[in-house]
Short mmCIF file of all heavy atoms in Angstrom, two decimals:
data_model
loop_
_atom_site.label_atom_id
_atom_site.label_comp_id
_atom_site.label_asym_id
_atom_site.label_seq_id
_atom_site.Cartn_x
_atom_site.Cartn_y
_atom_site.Cartn_z
N ILE A 1 -17.60 -75.52 47.59
CA ILE A 1 -16.41 -75.20 48.38
C ILE A 1 -16.07 -76.36 49.32
O ILE A 1 -14.91 -76.70 49.51
CB ILE A 1 -16.56 -73.85 49.13
CG1 ILE A 1 -15.20 -73.32 49.59
CG2 ILE A 1 -17.45 -73.94 50.32
CD1 ILE A 1 -14.48 -72.56 48.56
N PHE A 2 -17.09 -77.00 49.90
CA PHE A 2 -16.84 -78.12 50.80
C PHE A 2 -16.31 -79.34 50.04
O PHE A 2 -15.55 -80.13 50.60
CB PHE A 2 -18.10 -78.48 51.59
CG PHE A 2 -18.50 -77.42 52.58
CD1 PHE A 2 -19.76 -76.86 52.55
CD2 PHE A 2 -17.61 -76.97 53.55
CE1 PHE A 2 -20.13 -75.88 53.46
CE2 PHE A 2 -17.97 -75.99 54.47
CZ PHE A 2 -19.24 -75.45 54.42
N ALA A 3 -16.68 -79.49 48.77
CA ALA A 3 -16.19 -80.61 47.97
C ALA A 3 -14.69 -80.54 47.74
O ALA A 3 -14.07 -81.55 47.38
CB ALA A 3 -16.94 -80.65 46.64
N GLN A 4 -14.08 -79.38 47.96
CA GLN A 4 -12.64 -79.22 47.77
C GLN A 4 -11.82 -79.75 48.94
O GLN A 4 -10.60 -79.90 48.83
CB GLN A 4 -12.31 -77.76 47.52
CG GLN A 4 -12.89 -77.22 46.24
CD GLN A 4 -12.59 -75.75 46.05
OE1 GLN A 4 -11.49 -75.29 46.35
NE2 GLN A 4 -13.57 -75.00 45.57
N VAL A 5 -12.47 -80.01 50.07
CA VAL A 5 -11.76 -80.55 51.23
C VAL A 5 -11.46 -82.02 50.97
O VAL A 5 -12.35 -82.79 50.63
CB VAL A 5 -12.60 -80.39 52.52
CG1 VAL A 5 -11.88 -81.03 53.71
CG2 VAL A 5 -12.89 -78.93 52.78
N ALA A 6 -10.20 -82.40 51.12
CA ALA A 6 -9.79 -83.77 50.83
C ALA A 6 -9.11 -84.39 52.05
O ALA A 6 -8.47 -83.69 52.85
CB ALA A 6 -8.83 -83.79 49.65
N ARG A 7 -9.25 -85.67 52.16
CA ARG A 7 -8.57 -86.42 53.22
C ARG A 7 -7.07 -86.16 53.14
O ARG A 7 -6.49 -86.14 52.05
CB ARG A 7 -8.88 -87.89 53.00
CG ARG A 7 -8.83 -88.70 54.23
CD ARG A 7 -9.19 -90.14 53.88
NE ARG A 7 -8.58 -90.97 54.86
CZ ARG A 7 -9.25 -91.58 55.83
NH1 ARG A 7 -10.56 -91.52 55.84
NH2 ARG A 7 -8.62 -92.28 56.74
N GLY A 8 -6.44 -85.92 54.29
CA GLY A 8 -5.01 -85.67 54.34
C GLY A 8 -4.63 -84.20 54.29
O GLY A 8 -3.47 -83.85 54.50
N MET A 9 -5.59 -83.31 54.02
CA MET A 9 -5.33 -81.87 53.97
C MET A 9 -4.96 -81.35 55.36
O MET A 9 -5.60 -81.72 56.34
CB MET A 9 -6.61 -81.16 53.53
CG MET A 9 -6.49 -80.23 52.39
SD MET A 9 -8.11 -79.44 52.12
CE MET A 9 -8.05 -79.38 50.37
N PRO A 10 -3.95 -80.49 55.48
CA PRO A 10 -3.61 -79.94 56.80
C PRO A 10 -4.64 -78.90 57.26
O PRO A 10 -5.33 -78.29 56.43
CB PRO A 10 -2.24 -79.29 56.58
CG PRO A 10 -2.12 -79.08 55.12
CD PRO A 10 -3.01 -80.09 54.44
N GLU A 11 -4.72 -78.70 58.57
CA GLU A 11 -5.66 -77.73 59.15
C GLU A 11 -5.53 -76.35 58.53
O GLU A 11 -6.53 -75.69 58.26
CB GLU A 11 -5.44 -77.62 60.66
CG GLU A 11 -5.94 -78.77 61.45
CD GLU A 11 -5.75 -78.59 62.95
OE1 GLU A 11 -5.33 -77.50 63.39
OE2 GLU A 11 -6.03 -79.55 63.68
N GLN A 12 -4.30 -75.90 58.30
CA GLN A 12 -4.09 -74.55 57.75
C GLN A 12 -4.73 -74.41 56.38
O GLN A 12 -5.30 -73.37 56.06
CB GLN A 12 -2.58 -74.21 57.65
CG GLN A 12 -1.85 -74.19 58.96
CD GLN A 12 -1.40 -75.58 59.41
OE1 GLN A 12 -1.70 -76.62 58.78
NE2 GLN A 12 -0.69 -75.64 60.52
N GLU A 13 -4.64 -75.44 55.57
CA GLU A 13 -5.22 -75.38 54.23
C GLU A 13 -6.75 -75.36 54.30
O GLU A 13 -7.41 -74.63 53.57
CB GLU A 13 -4.73 -76.56 53.40
CG GLU A 13 -5.03 -76.40 51.92
CD GLU A 13 -4.40 -77.50 51.08
OE1 GLU A 13 -3.44 -78.16 51.55
OE2 GLU A 13 -4.88 -77.69 49.95
N VAL A 14 -7.32 -76.16 55.21
CA VAL A 14 -8.77 -76.16 55.39
C VAL A 14 -9.23 -74.80 55.89
O VAL A 14 -10.22 -74.25 55.41
CB VAL A 14 -9.21 -77.29 56.35
CG1 VAL A 14 -10.69 -77.18 56.67
CG2 VAL A 14 -8.88 -78.65 55.76
N SER A 15 -8.50 -74.24 56.83
CA SER A 15 -8.83 -72.92 57.36
C SER A 15 -8.79 -71.86 56.27
O SER A 15 -9.66 -70.99 56.19
CB SER A 15 -7.86 -72.56 58.49
OG SER A 15 -8.16 -71.30 59.00
N ARG A 16 -7.81 -71.92 55.43
CA ARG A 16 -7.68 -70.96 54.31
C ARG A 16 -8.85 -71.12 53.32
O ARG A 16 -9.38 -70.15 52.82
CB ARG A 16 -6.34 -71.18 53.61
CG ARG A 16 -5.79 -70.00 52.89
CD ARG A 16 -4.37 -70.15 52.36
NE ARG A 16 -3.81 -71.48 52.23
CZ ARG A 16 -2.93 -72.02 53.09
NH1 ARG A 16 -2.54 -71.35 54.14
NH2 ARG A 16 -2.46 -73.22 52.89
N LEU A 17 -9.26 -72.36 53.10
CA LEU A 17 -10.33 -72.66 52.14
C LEU A 17 -11.71 -72.32 52.69
O LEU A 17 -12.53 -71.70 52.00
CB LEU A 17 -10.27 -74.14 51.76
CG LEU A 17 -11.30 -74.64 50.76
CD1 LEU A 17 -11.06 -74.00 49.39
CD2 LEU A 17 -11.22 -76.16 50.65
N LEU A 18 -11.98 -72.68 53.95
CA LEU A 18 -13.33 -72.56 54.51
C LEU A 18 -13.51 -71.40 55.48
O LEU A 18 -14.63 -71.03 55.81
CB LEU A 18 -13.72 -73.86 55.23
CG LEU A 18 -13.69 -75.14 54.41
CD1 LEU A 18 -14.10 -76.32 55.28
CD2 LEU A 18 -14.59 -75.02 53.19
N GLY A 19 -12.43 -70.85 55.98
CA GLY A 19 -12.55 -69.80 56.98
C GLY A 19 -12.70 -70.39 58.37
O GLY A 19 -12.55 -71.59 58.58
N ARG A 20 -13.00 -69.54 59.31
CA ARG A 20 -13.13 -69.95 60.70
C ARG A 20 -14.41 -70.78 60.89
O ARG A 20 -15.46 -70.38 60.42
CB ARG A 20 -13.17 -68.70 61.58
CG ARG A 20 -12.89 -68.97 63.03
CD ARG A 20 -12.68 -67.70 63.77
NE ARG A 20 -13.90 -67.46 64.54
CZ ARG A 20 -14.25 -66.30 65.02
NH1 ARG A 20 -13.54 -65.24 64.79
NH2 ARG A 20 -15.34 -66.19 65.73
N PRO A 21 -14.33 -71.90 61.60
CA PRO A 21 -15.53 -72.73 61.81
C PRO A 21 -16.50 -72.06 62.78
O PRO A 21 -16.12 -71.22 63.59
CB PRO A 21 -14.97 -74.02 62.40
CG PRO A 21 -13.68 -73.65 63.02
CD PRO A 21 -13.14 -72.49 62.21
N ASP A 22 -17.77 -72.47 62.69
CA ASP A 22 -18.78 -71.97 63.61
C ASP A 22 -18.61 -72.60 64.99
O ASP A 22 -18.95 -71.98 66.00
CB ASP A 22 -20.18 -72.28 63.08
CG ASP A 22 -20.47 -71.55 61.79
OD1 ASP A 22 -20.15 -70.35 61.71
OD2 ASP A 22 -21.00 -72.17 60.86
N GLU A 23 -18.12 -73.81 65.01
CA GLU A 23 -17.94 -74.52 66.27
C GLU A 23 -16.80 -75.52 66.13
O GLU A 23 -16.58 -76.08 65.06
CB GLU A 23 -19.24 -75.27 66.60
CG GLU A 23 -19.27 -75.90 67.96
CD GLU A 23 -20.62 -76.52 68.27
OE1 GLU A 23 -21.54 -76.47 67.42
OE2 GLU A 23 -20.75 -77.04 69.37
N THR A 24 -16.07 -75.71 67.22
CA THR A 24 -15.01 -76.73 67.24
C THR A 24 -15.23 -77.62 68.46
O THR A 24 -15.80 -77.19 69.46
CB THR A 24 -13.60 -76.11 67.33
OG1 THR A 24 -13.48 -75.39 68.54
CG2 THR A 24 -13.31 -75.21 66.14
N MET A 25 -14.77 -78.86 68.34
CA MET A 25 -14.86 -79.78 69.46
C MET A 25 -13.63 -80.66 69.47
O MET A 25 -13.27 -81.25 68.45
CB MET A 25 -16.11 -80.65 69.35
CG MET A 25 -16.29 -81.58 70.54
SD MET A 25 -17.78 -82.57 70.46
CE MET A 25 -18.99 -81.32 70.79
N ARG A 26 -12.98 -80.71 70.63
CA ARG A 26 -11.79 -81.56 70.79
C ARG A 26 -12.21 -82.91 71.36
O ARG A 26 -13.12 -82.99 72.18
CB ARG A 26 -10.78 -80.88 71.70
CG ARG A 26 -10.25 -79.58 71.12
CD ARG A 26 -9.03 -79.04 71.80
NE ARG A 26 -7.84 -79.87 71.79
CZ ARG A 26 -7.12 -80.19 70.71
NH1 ARG A 26 -7.47 -79.76 69.53
NH2 ARG A 26 -6.05 -80.93 70.80
N PHE A 27 -11.51 -83.95 70.93
CA PHE A 27 -11.73 -85.30 71.43
C PHE A 27 -10.40 -85.79 72.02
O PHE A 27 -9.57 -86.35 71.30
CB PHE A 27 -12.21 -86.23 70.32
CG PHE A 27 -13.49 -85.77 69.68
CD1 PHE A 27 -13.46 -85.05 68.49
CD2 PHE A 27 -14.72 -86.03 70.28
CE1 PHE A 27 -14.64 -84.61 67.91
CE2 PHE A 27 -15.90 -85.59 69.69
CZ PHE A 27 -15.86 -84.88 68.51
N PRO A 28 -10.18 -85.53 73.32
CA PRO A 28 -8.87 -85.82 73.93
C PRO A 28 -8.43 -87.28 73.86
O PRO A 28 -7.25 -87.55 73.69
CB PRO A 28 -9.05 -85.38 75.39
CG PRO A 28 -10.26 -84.51 75.42
CD PRO A 28 -11.11 -84.91 74.25
N LEU A 29 -9.36 -88.21 73.98
CA LEU A 29 -8.97 -89.63 73.97
C LEU A 29 -8.39 -90.06 72.64
O LEU A 29 -7.51 -90.92 72.59
CB LEU A 29 -10.16 -90.51 74.35
CG LEU A 29 -10.65 -90.36 75.80
CD1 LEU A 29 -11.86 -91.25 76.05
CD2 LEU A 29 -9.53 -90.70 76.78
N SER A 30 -8.89 -89.48 71.55
CA SER A 30 -8.37 -89.85 70.23
C SER A 30 -7.41 -88.80 69.68
O SER A 30 -6.92 -88.94 68.56
CB SER A 30 -9.52 -90.06 69.24
OG SER A 30 -10.23 -88.84 69.07
N SER A 31 -7.17 -87.75 70.45
CA SER A 31 -6.30 -86.64 70.02
C SER A 31 -6.75 -86.06 68.68
O SER A 31 -5.94 -85.74 67.82
CB SER A 31 -4.84 -87.09 69.92
OG SER A 31 -4.38 -87.53 71.17
#
């Protein structure tokens, strides 16, 4: 399932494919 994630995929598509993440982290300096 993780092999299906491709560079350039939008967040919504990743969310649909993998579900809700266990953890998220924002990096404000790099947005």
Side-chain angles (χ1 to χ4, degrees):
I1 197 84
F2 292 124
Q4 295 178 40
V5 177
R7 207 178 154 107
M9 233 183 216
E11 286 182 6
Q12 298 84 355
E13 193 173 340
V14 173
S15 180
R16 205 171 18 258
L17 181 66
L18 303 180
R20 197 169 105 200
D22 295 315
E23 188 175 1
T24 62
M25 183 178 288
R26 297 194 61 67
F27 301 98
L29 293 178
S30 63
S31 299

